[in-house]
Amino acid sequence: MSDICKRFAANKKGRDFYVGDIHGCFALLEKAMKEHGFDETRDRIFSVGDLVDRGDRSEDAIDWIKRPYFHAVRGNHEDMAIRAHTGNMDRENHIANGGAWIVGMTKEEQIEYSLAFQELPYMIEIEQVWGGLFGVVHAELMDGNWGITKEALIDKNHPRHKEAKQAVLWGRSKYNNLDDSLINGVHVLFVGHTTVDHVVRLGNVFFIDTGACFGGELTFF
């Protein structure tokens, strides 16, 4: 199993990039990396999750999460894929949301992806050279608070453990309420999950899922 939260030291030799929901559109990621002159030996990519479903290269996700410069949190689509082999899934709903690629695999193949996706953390925090801290989750934080969410996720016996997991994988309350209050615990938070026409900032939260799998741009900056 993964760490709930993975922490990365400041990148003093290269650049850090943040990428929105990829959903199997890895060709767009490769294009963006080329356009930005991405250096695999110095630069890093932090992903807000949802690497799979809908696009045509979801099978490539395992390869990407093994790359030393690519770091993703777990999205709700990885969470569904993790359970594909167990039967504890609404199969038709999963297919309707782009999961046919894994639903059609053998159980052994499904387990391989399940184990790989279970290694993905729910939260990533990145130290900045100026002393600040950036955060990444897939959807949103519980109570708009990094520390509270992290504590509830780490302790499976915490009374709000399920609520915290629901927030980071599925939450949309901040965006739906256009809540521009600052979240606590990190200076900047990058999230995906909620599809937007362009990058949206609410307080210190950046929503960067710009619908690559629906014909939109893949945010990479």
Side-chain angles (χ1 to χ4, degrees), residues 9-16 42 44 127-129:
N11 187 354
K12 298 180 179 180
K13 296 182 179 180
R15 300 167 295 170
D16 286 344
R42 297 175 179 268
R44 303 185 297 195
E127 298 173 0
Q128 303 299 301
V129 293

Side-chain angles (χ1 to χ4, degrees), residues 3-42:
D3 295 331
I4 293 297
C5 180
K6 288 189 176 179
R7 189 179 182 101
F8 292 83
N11 187 354
K12 298 180 179 180
K13 296 182 179 180
R15 300 167 295 170
D16 286 344
F17 291 91
Y18 297 85
V19 63
D21 296 29
I22 297 168
H23 280 301
C25 298
F26 288 104
L28 295 180
L29 176 56
E30 292 164 347
K31 179 182 177 183
M33 292 168 66
K34 184 176 181 180
E35 290 174 347
H36 285 79
F38 186 85
D39 184 341
E40 296 183 4
T41 66
R42 297 175 179 268

